[in-house]
Amino acid sequence: MTAVLTRRPGLSRIRTVRSPLYLVCLGFVALLTTAALLAPWLVPHDPNAVDLGNALAGTTPEHPLGVDAAGRDTLSRLLLGARTSLLGPLGVVVFSTVAGVAIGMAAGWRGGWLDSVLSRSTELVFAFPGMLLAILIISVYGEGLLAPVVALSIAYLPYVSRLTRSLVLAERQRPYVSAYQVQGHSALQICLRHVLPNIAPVVLAQSTINFGYALMDLAGLSFLGLGVPALTPDWGRMVFDGQTAIQHGYPLSAVLPCVFIVLTVVAFNVVGERWADRVARRSP
């Protein structure tokens, strides 16, 4: 009798619930991503052009969102800052997801001493705060985007690896895995061709949620002056630079990047949680 090889719903089977909140958040994410990609062609002014004679001039037809304490156009810095503010979290999510899936899959599939070593190693990373790790690395390598991205990637890696490990442990008990083993498929083939596509929707949902938190952490580092260089447009850096403007009654240059940070984090969390809920409802 031929074994029937069943597979759980993969990425192609995920269909999100069409709730108004989800659609609004998904549209916001799409619009923000498009604006970040096209930012160099959308900015009306040079975001680093200093005009001290026009500092804190308020909103004008030429500067609809006003200018900061250095006379730089707020709208231009918001648009171009979206690229840096989204690129950093993307790097964190990509690195932590790829490494976390590899570690979690190896631990969950092999088990034994390898599982123990990898699990204890990730627990050690859990015990070390990600922001503190980022500050230590930045203090060694200096300011820039690479150091905090690497540090936060290491900090977020255990979340993905532990999730992947639990999913692989459950997936390994399913009949189709035994059927493929009987047919002579190697462990690597089964993991990459069958187990990974089955657990990918849950991992993707978790990574989407991690994106929002990574954005918030990187913005916090930039606010502290530990992220991108001072002249680089970045939402967290804009909040720091806008403190002087708030004291003089011109809050837009600091409030607007705060609003975009909050909206982006909320949007990514809603999208990620909706995907996770959908996957959970489709799971047997």
Side-chain angles (χ1 to χ4, degrees):
M1 182 175 64
T2 303
V4 179
L5 307 180
T6 59
R7 297 181 60 180
R8 297 170 62 192
L11 283 173
S12 61
R13 299 294 301 275
I14 296 179
R15 294 181 182 176
T16 52
V17 178
R18 294 182 178 179
S19 68
L21 178 60
Y22 167 75
L23 292 177
V24 169
C25 290
L26 187 62
F28 178 80
V29 170
L31 182 62
L32 185 64
T33 303
T34 303
L37 293 174
L38 301 179
W41 297 275
L42 296 177
V43 291
H45 304 280
D46 183 354
N48 292 321
V50 176
D51 184 6
L52 296 179
N54 196 36
L56 303 178
T59 58
T60 63
E62 186 179 2
H63 303 283
L65 297 182
V67 296
D68 61 10
R72 297 172 297 189
D73 182 61
T74 300
L75 176 59
S76 299
R77 292 184 66 79
L78 275 175
L79 289 173
L80 206 58
R83 307 191 80 187
T84 306
S85 300
L86 296 181
L87 182 62
L90 179 62
V92 172
V93 167
V94 169
F95 180 83
S96 62
T97 300
V98 172
V101 167
I103 293 174
M105 185 166 289
W109 185 268
R110 289 295 181 183
W113 66 268
L114 181 61
D115 184 19
S116 299
V117 170
L118 294 177
S119 298
R120 299 298 85 78
S121 300
T122 55
E123 288 175 0
L124 288 176
V125 178
F126 264 125
F128 204 86
M131 292 291 283
L132 180 57
L133 178 62
I135 292 173
L136 290 176
I137 293 180
I138 293 170
S139 65
V140 175
Y141 293 99
E143 65 180 8
L145 191 60
L146 180 61
V149 166
V150 172
L152 291 179
S153 298
I154 296 173
Y156 279 78
L157 187 151
Y159 296 96
V160 182
S161 65
R162 293 183 68 176
L163 174 64
T164 303
R165 175 184 176 274
S166 64
L167 293 172
V168 171
L169 285 174
E171 201 71 18
R172 192 178 179 185
Q173 305 303 319
R174 298 188 176 276
Y176 79 87
V177 173
S178 300
Y180 279 121
Q181 289 176 329
V182 169
Q183 293 182 8
H185 292 264
S186 66
L188 184 61
Q189 288 177 322
I190 297 174
C191 287
L192 295 181
R193 295 182 181 179
H194 309 288
V195 176
L196 182 58
N198 288 342
I199 68 173
V202 181
V203 175
L204 177 61
Q206 179 62 49
S207 298
T208 305
I209 297 174
N210 289 346
F211 185 97
Y213 290 122
L215 188 151
M216 189 165 50
D217 289 340
L218 289 173
L221 289 172
S222 295
F223 175 80
L224 296 174
L226 300 174
V228 298
L231 296 179
T232 303
D234 179 83
W235 291 346
R237 189 75 192 189
M238 288 181 66
V239 178
F240 174 81
D241 294 338
Q243 295 178 95
T244 304
I246 293 178
Q247 296 173 358
H248 291 84
Y250 296 94
L252 283 181
S253 60
V255 171
L256 286 176
C258 287
V259 171
F260 273 93
I261 291 173
V262 172
L263 291 179
T264 304
V265 172
V266 170
F268 273 96
N269 282 357
V270 168
V271 172
E273 290 177 0
R274 182 67 65 178
W275 287 357
D277 292 342
R278 184 60 175 170
V279 171
R281 284 194 293 267
R282 296 185 66 89
S283 299

